[in-house]
Amino acid sequence: MRNPATLKKISDHLSVSISTVSRALKDHQDVSPETKRRVKELAEMLDYEPNSFAINLRKKHSDLFAVIVPEISSYFYHSFIEAVEEEARLKGFSIMILQSRNNPELESNNLRLCRYNHVAGVFIAVNNSSENHPAFKKMEDWDIPMVFFDKVPAEGNFNKVCMADEQAGALSAEKIVQKGHQHFIAVMGSPSMSITIGRENGIRTYLSKYAPGVTFDCLYVDHGEKVETLLDRYSNSELQGKLLFSMSDEILCGIIPFLNQRGLKLPADISLLTISNGFLPRLFSPQVCYIETNGNKLGKMAFNRMSEILDGKKVVCERLLDCEYFSGGSM
């Protein structure tokens, strides 16, 4: 195994001090152009790499952001991560991507890893049952800023960047009412999650105000793979002519196989509306109608908030990203 190049090795080769080598590599004005040239040429020849751990300790943080999500498989998170990585790269940062697998213990371990690496900041979508407030508070104690996005703590004084979930729920209800449905089935996420609470409240508030005669079954599921089992309670005749509302792409991925297995066609047998990042609905024929929740735009908004915090604007706030309806052939 090759011994890594060090500042001391370079200094020994050139018969200059370690501090001179360090300053030369940083283009310090106190070092002559000739010495800089010699140091940099030798450093490149020896494939010298700075000790990032030591640098992080000295700077108190690294040039690294962490993004923690329940699962990377979600297309929404793909687009969010892509936006954050793009913005981070423009400012000289890299990103580290971690998954909590909807496991509070793993989420805590990920946060511990972030502290160990002295990350510059953390973007986190919490797991479905997260009550990790002590772990979040410890990040504050280490002066590591956190921006919560998409799935955020329902309570607590945290920086949050979210979709306008109540608006998304209300817009969904509006489109369902406009299509003349008097009863529909809403498949929602975990009832304890802020994202579920917001979207369900939006539906209920709209119906109460504008269509009190419209009713719906509200079903809760903590993982998309359980959707088919959840919907098995309905016979085909009970579903005929009804509308299924999906709260997310993850749930949509469970609904489509269920409809295929039952032989139910869109929109002849059943209607479908989802809240989505927009990628999955366009894969189906007919295209599924959806309320857009744009991961890319949310990622840019989250990075902007993180930049503000790093620039000293640390007053906690919550920002919402508006949503939009896109028509398809499923209603």
Side-chain angles (χ1 to χ4, degrees):
M1 183 176 182
R2 183 177 66 85
N3 291 325
T6 63
L7 293 179
K8 187 176 187 310
K9 284 185 180 181
I10 296 173
S11 71
D12 288 344
H13 274 289
L14 299 177
S15 298
V16 297
S17 69
I18 293 176
S19 61
T20 297
V21 173
S22 178
R23 292 200 302 274
L25 291 172
K26 296 174 183 175
D27 273 326
H28 199 283
Q29 60 184 8
D30 290 346
V31 182
S32 70
E34 174 61 18
T35 300
K36 288 180 184 178
R37 181 189 65 77
R38 292 172 61 215
V39 167
K40 289 180 180 179
E41 285 182 357
L42 184 57
E44 184 174 356
M45 186 184 305
L46 296 177
D47 198 21
Y48 168 75
E49 291 287 346
N51 186 330
S52 59
F53 185 74
I55 292 172
N56 294 346
L57 286 176
R58 187 168 62 249
K59 291 168 57 181
K60 299 294 176 59
H61 67 77
S62 66
D63 294 325
L64 181 70
F65 289 117
V67 182
I68 303 176
V69 294
E71 292 180 307
I72 299 176
S73 59
S74 164
Y75 290 101
F76 178 87
Y77 292 138
H78 277 180
S79 58
F80 178 92
I81 292 169
E82 184 180 66
V84 169
E85 192 279 332
E86 180 181 343
E87 295 297 316
R89 182 163 27 86
L90 291 174
K91 293 202 172 186
F93 288 84
S94 300
I95 66 168
M96 172 173 66
I97 304 167
L98 302 166
Q99 297 184 94
S100 69
R101 298 290 186 185
N102 280 313
N103 183 319
E105 183 178 355
L106 185 53
E107 184 176 78
S108 294
N109 290 339
N110 287 336
L111 292 172
R112 187 178 300 111
L113 183 62
C114 291
R115 295 194 298 271
Y116 176 79
N117 283 276
H118 296 270
V119 298
V122 176
F123 301 89
I124 178 170
V126 300
N127 68 79
N128 287 344
S129 58
S130 181
E131 294 182 359
N132 258 336
H133 289 206
F136 303 151
K137 180 64 170 62
K138 185 173 287 189
M139 301 300 286
E140 293 180 9
D141 295 340
W142 279 60
D143 198 29
I144 297 176
M146 300 182 71
V147 173
F148 293 84
F149 70 94
D150 187 42
K151 295 180 177 180
V152 304
E155 300 176 356
N157 193 32
F158 301 110
N159 283 290
K160 304 175 186 179
V161 177
C162 316
M163 301 308 305
D165 290 317
E166 290 205 23
Q167 180 196 37
L171 185 55
S172 300
E174 177 186 340
K175 297 303 176 182
I176 292 170
V177 170
Q178 287 177 355
K179 290 295 182 179
H181 292 278
Q182 293 300 305
H183 182 80
F184 62 97
I185 300 166
V187 186
M188 311 296 289
S190 173
S192 63
M193 290 295 299
S194 62
I195 186 173
T196 304
I197 295 168
R199 293 175 184 185
E200 183 180 344
N201 284 346
I203 293 173
R204 292 189 184 279
T205 300
Y206 182 90
L207 295 181
S208 176
K209 187 173 182 179
Y210 298 106
V214 175
T215 58
F216 67 102
D217 296 346
C218 196
L219 311 180
Y220 302 101
V221 63
D222 59 6
H223 200 284
E225 294 178 356
K226 300 178 182 178
V227 171
E228 291 185 63
T229 302
L230 188 71
L231 291 174
D232 269 339
R233 70 184 67 184
Y234 297 99
S235 66
N236 275 18
S237 60
E238 290 174 313
L239 293 172
Q240 191 75 32
K242 287 285 195 303
L243 179 136
L244 280 179
F245 168 73
S246 164
M247 193 197 81
S248 66
D249 276 330
E250 182 184 18
I251 292 172
L252 179 64
C253 285
I255 287 178
I256 294 297
F258 169 79
L259 296 180
N260 291 337
Q261 187 266 330
R262 288 290 190 92
L264 295 167
K265 303 298 182 183
L266 296 172
D269 302 319
I270 192 167
S271 297
L272 179 59
L273 173 66
T274 189
I275 296 178
S276 170
N277 193 43
F279 177 78
L280 282 176
R282 294 194 294 270
L283 295 181
F284 301 106
S285 182
Q287 176 179 304
V288 177
C289 304
Y290 68 96
I291 309 296
E292 184 189 55
T293 55
N294 192 303
N296 188 273
K297 290 180 181 178
L298 194 70
K300 291 182 181 298
M301 181 182 283
F303 192 88
N304 180 64
R305 179 64 195 124
M306 180 66 77
S307 297
E308 290 178 348
I309 297 170
L310 295 177
D311 287 340
K313 299 177 182 177
K314 297 186 177 182
V315 177
V316 173
C317 67
E318 180 174 359
R319 292 181 181 166
L320 302 178
L321 181 63
D322 288 340
C323 51
E324 184 179 356
Y325 173 71
F326 288 83
S327 180
S330 64
M331 289 175 65

